[in-house]
């Protein structure tokens, strides 16, 4: 029986061991990149998996194409569809714009699980800081947590952090404070007779000056009370003002600082969701959503990323855990809210496909708040299946890799659209 040729478009063709189970589907696989397409000859050069072996070969066009190129460009997808049939290429877009995703979900059945989100503007930042004590700023297009910031408002000041929470109560830090304390003692004792000591003390004063304290170095070196200075400086460290990228007591200055930081990049402002913890670390749950051999959206399982102690982002994860393992631990992940996440994931996939066009898979990252409610943190067109291998679940690995091929085979049996 002749096998059906399924194409897998990637940026860098290489053997994909996890796809070798395709031999049970009675299909051949051609892993190729856009540059390997010979449009005029209607041929593609790539890595062919046939009869259990990978081999570079030039082939005719496949019957369906699974797009795994991480891109927002649809040019190649559109050209392929004109040749092999409309609807025969899925994942028309894999690099998602977060604002576009938000708009797709805002009026969908998944809207109740989406944090309040707005496009960044000075006025939006200013008004949302009145409503929430904490906010997340994230680039509209980005990945791996790059450029994501935490905004914190207290009664006295405004702060912006990058990657970590303002929590630094470690033994090393306490030792550092003791060292600073002793250094201040020595510098004050020497400052009247040593130019070097005066310079060092001046450098310690600099952070206080940057924080808005009116210190005139030349004058204060002579008149500043040692105990007062120590109190101010150690308070600066304890309050984590040195670790924030922006700190000020003036709201307008803070907004100007944020404007300067993000420049002209398109950013979103999002309600901060305090996440549930396991072993004092935040975690999320990634759910894979894929179409099956009947062309229906289904969930294929997932896993959990556990963050670092100081992080407000699960992108900065210390470990990956299976769902079963997480449910054995002390946290709020339950069978009930896991079922909610699966339902919301399917609603999410349907809403995004209506907005973006033909898709076959995505992953949805959820955070769980202190009441056990799941919130959509991120939706990914690039599903990063390689993470699944780390939790050593062979069945899940097989499912998330092979289900898109089953869907591709389903597409080949449909009459081509015109």
């Amino acid at each position: 029986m002749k096998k059906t040729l399924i194409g897998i478009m990637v940026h860098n063709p290489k053997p994909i061991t996890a796809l070798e189970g395709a031999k049970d589907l009675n299909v051949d696989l051609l892993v190729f990149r856009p540059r390997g397409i010979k449009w005029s000859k209607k041929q593609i050069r790539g890595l062919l998996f046939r009869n259990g072996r990978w081999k570079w070969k030039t082939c005719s066009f496949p019957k369906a194409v699974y797009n795994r190129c991480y891109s927002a460009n649809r040019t190649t997808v559109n050209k392929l569809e004109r040749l092999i049939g409309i609807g025969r290429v899925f994942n028309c877009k894999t690099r998602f714009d977060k604002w576009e995703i938000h708009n797709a979900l805002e009026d969908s059945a998944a809207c109740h699980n989406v944090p309040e989100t707005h496009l960044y503007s000075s006025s939006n930042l200013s008004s949302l800081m009145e409503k929430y004590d904490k906010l997340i700023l994230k680039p509209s297009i980005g990945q791996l947590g790059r450029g994501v910031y935490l905004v914190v408002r207290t009664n006295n000041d405004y702060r912006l952090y990058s990657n970590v929470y303002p929590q630094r109560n470690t033994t090393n830090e306490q030792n550092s404070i003791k060292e600073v304390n002793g250094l201040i003692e020595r510098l004050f004792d020497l400052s009247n007779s040593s130019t070097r000591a005066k310079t060092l003390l001046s450098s310690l004063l600099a952070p206080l000056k940057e924080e808005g304290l009116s210190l005139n170095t030349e004058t204060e070196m002579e008149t500043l009370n040692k105990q007062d200075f120590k109190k101010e400086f150690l308070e600066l460290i304890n309050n984590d003002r040195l670790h924030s990228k922006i700190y000020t007591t003036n709201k307008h200055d803070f907004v100007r600082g944020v404007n300067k930081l993000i420049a002209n990049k398109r950013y979103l402002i999002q309600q901060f969701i305090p996440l549930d913890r396991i072993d004092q670390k935040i975690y999320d749950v990634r759910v894979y959503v894929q179409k099956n051999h009947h062309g229906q959206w289904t969930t294929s399982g997932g896993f959990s990323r556990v963050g670092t102690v100081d992080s407000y982002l699960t992108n900065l994860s210390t470990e990956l855990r299976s769902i079963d393992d997480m449910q054995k631990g002390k946290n709020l992940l339950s069978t009930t809210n896991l079922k909610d996440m699966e339902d919301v994931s399917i609603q999410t996939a349907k809403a995004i496909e209506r907005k973006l066009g033909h898709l076959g898979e995505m992953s949805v990252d959820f955070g769980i708040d202190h009441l056990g409610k799941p919130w959509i943190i991120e939706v990914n067109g690039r599903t990063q299946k390689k993470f699944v291998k780390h939790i050593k679940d062979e069945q899940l690995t097989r499912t998330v890799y092979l289900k898109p091929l089953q869907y591709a085979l389903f597409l080949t049996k449909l009459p081509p659209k015109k």
Side-chain angles (χ1 to χ4, degrees), residues 22 41 53 63 76 80 113 132 186-187 225 234 245 257 278 281 283-284 289 302 305 320 325 333 349 351 371 400 417:
K41 297 181 179 180
R53 295 179 59 191
K63 299 297 183 182
T76 304
L80 277 170
N113 298 85
Y132 299 107
R186 293 194 297 275
L187 288 176
N225 177 278
L234 294 178
K245 290 182 74 72
I278 184 169
K281 301 171 186 176
Y283 66 91
D284 68 8
V289 202
R305 294 181 298 180
L320 305 178
D325 183 46
L333 180 59
L371 297 176
V400 297
K417 298 177 182 178

Side-chain angles (χ1 to χ4, degrees), residues 81-281:
E81 285 202 324
R82 284 197 291 270
L83 290 170
I84 69 174
I86 303 299
R88 292 283 180 89
V89 182
F90 64 96
N91 290 352
C92 60
K93 194 173 183 179
T94 56
R95 192 176 190 185
F96 291 171
D97 181 309
K98 294 179 179 63
W99 183 240
E100 199 171 14
I101 296 302
H102 173 75
N103 289 336
L105 298 181
E106 197 171 26
D107 297 321
S108 74
C111 66
H112 300 295
N113 298 85
V114 179
E116 182 177 353
T117 306
H118 299 270
L119 266 180
Y120 178 85
S121 69
S122 298
S123 58
N124 280 343
L125 176 60
S126 184
S127 61
L128 286 169
M129 284 194 300
E130 295 299 319
K131 185 175 182 179
Y132 299 107
D133 293 336
K134 293 182 180 179
L135 297 166
I136 291 290
L137 299 181
K138 59 175 66 173
S140 185
I141 295 180
Q143 59 173 327
L144 303 176
R146 297 189 186 101
V148 179
Y149 302 110
L150 172 69
V151 171
V152 179
R153 172 184 62 82
T154 69
N155 292 331
N156 302 314
D157 55 44
Y158 303 87
R159 307 179 191 192
L160 180 141
Y161 296 92
S162 175
N163 294 335
V164 293
Y165 273 120
Q167 297 172 351
R168 298 257 188 216
N169 298 322
T170 65
T171 302
N172 288 338
E173 178 132 2
Q174 291 169 357
N175 290 337
S176 296
I177 290 173
K178 290 178 181 178
E179 291 175 9
V180 170
N181 203 344
L183 176 62
I184 292 171
E185 292 276 358
R186 293 194 297 275
L187 288 176
F188 262 94
D189 291 340
L190 292 170
S191 60
N192 289 331
S193 58
S194 168
T195 303
R196 175 61 176 162
K198 185 174 289 190
T199 301
L200 288 173
L201 186 57
S202 178
S203 69
L204 286 176
L205 285 166
L208 295 176
K209 293 177 70 177
E210 289 176 5
E211 300 302 336
L213 299 176
S214 56
L215 293 171
N216 182 300
T217 304
E218 294 299 323
T219 304
E220 295 293 343
M221 286 295 297
E222 299 176 0
T223 62
L224 185 65
N225 177 278
K226 179 165 55 177
Q227 294 306 316
D228 288 343
F229 175 74
K230 284 167 58 178
K231 180 181 177 182
E232 290 280 6
F233 194 83
L234 294 178
E235 182 182 337
L236 177 67
I237 294 175
N238 286 328
N239 285 341
D240 202 58
R241 287 150 66 185
L242 288 179
H243 299 290
S244 57
K245 290 182 74 72
I246 301 176
Y247 167 83
T248 179
T249 57
N250 184 287
K251 181 179 180 180
H252 298 294
D253 288 345
F254 181 78
V255 174
R256 280 196 293 269
V258 175
N259 287 341
K260 184 177 179 181
L261 177 68
I262 67 175
N264 296 319
K265 303 183 191 76
R266 188 159 83 154
Y267 260 71
L268 307 186
I269 315 174
Q270 195 169 71
Q271 168 193 1
F272 175 82
I273 305 297
L275 298 183
D276 183 36
R277 291 175 175 260
I278 184 169
D279 301 330
Q280 299 182 330
K281 301 171 186 176

